Amino acid sequence: MISPINRSHVSSLRRGSRRIKLISADIALSCNLSADTVWVVDNEVHVLDGVKLTIDDGARILILNGVVSSSRLQRAALIFDPGSMLSAVRFAVYAGSSQHRISRTSDNGGLWFLGTYAGGASDGIHVSKQPAQRPSLFRAVSITASHLGRKDTYVNTSKGREVDVGDDIDALKLIGVGPDEWQVSQLRSLHSADDGVDLTNSYIRLNRLEVRQPTEDGLNLSSSRIEIRRSLCLDVQKTSATDRDLFDFETDDGGSFVELPRGCWVRLNGVFGDQLFLSSQDMHPPLVADDNEEPYSFSGRLKSDAIVYSISRD
C-alpha cells in the first residue's frame, strides 16, 4: 500500500478553496500525489533510488519559477533518480508562479528522468552506469509538460545586455533511460523555454510525441534512439529566431536516430535541422546544410518506414 506523501516532505497551504502542498525535499519514501491537491515543487526535488511515486489520474503538479540558489540547476525541478519508479495514468506538469498558480512564463528546472541503461551527463546532472544496479521504471499513459525549462540567456540589468549562461535546461530531459525502463505511451511538451524534449544516451519507444512552440529545438537527441509508433507532431513554426530546428542531433557517444514505422502519422512544421539524414519514401528531402533556415513542412501518414538520423556529425 502506497501512502500519501510523507508530511516531512511537504507543507500545506490554502488559496481560497484550493488545497496546495509544497514539495521542498527529496522524496525518500514511496508515496502518492492525489488529484484533489495542487502539488508545488519549490526546490530541486529528487525521487530517490528504490522509491515509487504514484500520481493519480488527472493530478496537477507545478514547478515553481525563479532562482533557487541551493539547486545545481539554480531552479526548482522534479528529478526521478536512477532506480526510481513512476506509476501514473495521465498527469500534467506546469510552470508555477509565486502565487502557486499556473504560469505562462518558463523559468524553472523542468522534469527529468534518469535511467540505468547507460551513463551520461547534462547541465550538472550525472548518471553513472553501475553493475547490478536496480533499473528505473517509468509507467504512464500520458505526460504533459507546459512552460517548463528556462532560457539559455538572461538579461543582466547591471550590464544592460543579454548574457549566455551556458546550459540547456529543457522541458523534459532523459539521461541513460533504456527501453525496458520507459513504459510511457505519450509525451506532450508545450512552450518549453529551451528544447521541447531532450534525450541523452537513451533509447525509448513511444506511441505519440507532440512538441509545440519551444523556444529552441523540438527534439534534441544526444547519442540516443527514439521509436515513435503512431504519431509525431513537431510544431516549431519558423520565426526570426535562428538555430531553432525541428531536430537537433549530437553524436559524441554514437549516432542518434528517430525511427518512424509505416502507418505513423507525421506533422512537421519548422526548420528541419543541420547535417541530418532523412530516409523516407513519403517525406520530401529537406535542406540540411549548415546554417540553413529554410522552412520545412510535412503532414501525412507514412506508407513506408522512415528514419531521421546522424551518425558522425552534429
Side-chain angles (χ1 to χ4, degrees):
M1 178 83 178
I2 296 175
S3 63
I5 192 164
N6 190 289
R7 290 183 180 178
S8 64
H9 301 148
V10 303
S11 54
S12 297
L13 299 169
R14 277 196 176 273
R15 294 288 185 271
S17 60
R18 296 187 305 153
R19 182 167 65 175
I20 299 170
K21 291 192 175 181
L22 307 183
I23 308 176
S24 304
D26 291 344
I27 299 174
L29 298 173
S30 295
C31 56
N32 179 78
L33 303 187
S34 60
D36 60 356
T37 298
V38 177
W39 301 91
V40 180
V41 177
D42 66 355
N43 205 339
E44 182 181 313
V45 172
H46 292 249
V47 182
L48 300 182
D49 180 14
V51 173
K52 181 178 183 180
L53 182 62
T54 300
I55 302 176
D56 282 358
D57 192 15
R60 178 182 297 180
I61 301 170
L62 308 186
I63 299 181
L64 208 63
N65 284 332
V67 175
V68 178
S69 58
S70 60
S71 165
R72 282 171 292 181
L73 304 173
Q74 293 294 296
R75 296 296 188 277
L78 181 59
I79 301 173
F80 286 82
D81 280 355
S84 65
M85 293 163 280
L86 166 69
S87 178
V89 183
R90 300 176 187 274
F91 70 95
V93 185
Y94 303 89
S97 71
S98 58
Q99 291 77 37
H100 306 125
R101 300 181 185 277
I102 292 176
S103 175
R104 303 304 179 190
T105 300
S106 309
D107 187 25
N108 54 76
L111 179 61
W112 298 61
F113 295 93
L114 311 182
T116 64
Y117 173 76
S122 181
D123 303 315
I125 303 296
H126 298 263
V127 172
S128 299
K129 184 172 176 58
Q130 303 292 337
Q133 185 176 17
R134 182 199 339 255
S136 304
L137 182 57
F138 308 125
R139 289 177 171 167
V141 172
S142 178
I143 302 173
T144 297
S146 177
H147 293 85
L148 297 191
R150 69 177 174 88
K151 294 182 178 180
D152 293 345
T153 61
Y154 73 98
V155 176
N156 187 314
T157 54
S158 64
K159 296 182 179 180
R161 62 184 175 86
E162 195 169 52
V163 177
D164 190 338
V165 295
D167 59 14
D168 187 27
I169 306 301
D170 308 306
L172 283 157
K173 190 178 293 262
L174 283 66
I175 304 177
V177 178
D180 293 334
E181 299 179 300
W182 187 258
Q183 297 180 25
V184 177
S185 178
Q186 174 176 275
L187 283 180
R188 301 176 69 236
S189 177
L190 313 176
H191 305 286
S192 169
D194 206 288
D195 299 336
V197 176
D198 183 286
L199 273 64
T200 297
N201 294 9
S202 295
Y203 175 14
I204 67 168
R205 302 181 180 98
L206 284 172
N207 283 333
R208 295 179 174 87
L209 174 63
E210 177 183 354
V211 178
R212 294 190 180 274
Q213 297 306 321
T215 300
E216 295 199 13
D217 303 314
L219 179 58
N220 187 295
L221 301 184
S222 299
S223 302
S224 294
R225 181 185 297 265
I226 182 170
E227 301 174 18
I228 304 169
R229 299 184 182 105
R230 296 184 183 177
S231 68
L232 168 65
C233 175
L234 299 181
D235 186 0
V236 191
Q237 185 175 4
K238 173 64 179 163
T239 66
S240 60
T242 59
D243 195 26
R244 175 177 178 264
D245 300 330
L246 293 163
F247 302 100
D248 184 14
F249 293 172
E250 299 172 15
T251 59
D252 294 345
D253 296 318
S256 289
F257 306 85
V258 176
E259 299 181 7
L260 306 169
R262 178 173 61 90
C264 183
W265 186 84
V266 176
R267 182 177 187 273
L268 302 177
N269 179 26
V271 175
F272 198 86
D274 297 346
Q275 301 294 348
L276 302 177
F277 296 94
L278 170 64
S279 176
S280 173
Q281 296 181 26
D282 303 288
M283 292 185 279
H284 58 280
L287 294 177
V288 294
D290 286 340
D291 302 322
N292 166 59
E293 291 294 329
E294 184 73 20
Y296 181 90
S297 180
F298 175 84
S299 182
R301 191 172 301 279
L302 300 182
K303 297 178 182 178
S304 58
D305 295 350
I307 184 170
V308 184
Y309 67 98
S310 181
I311 296 175
S312 59
R313 289 188 279 188
D314 55 11

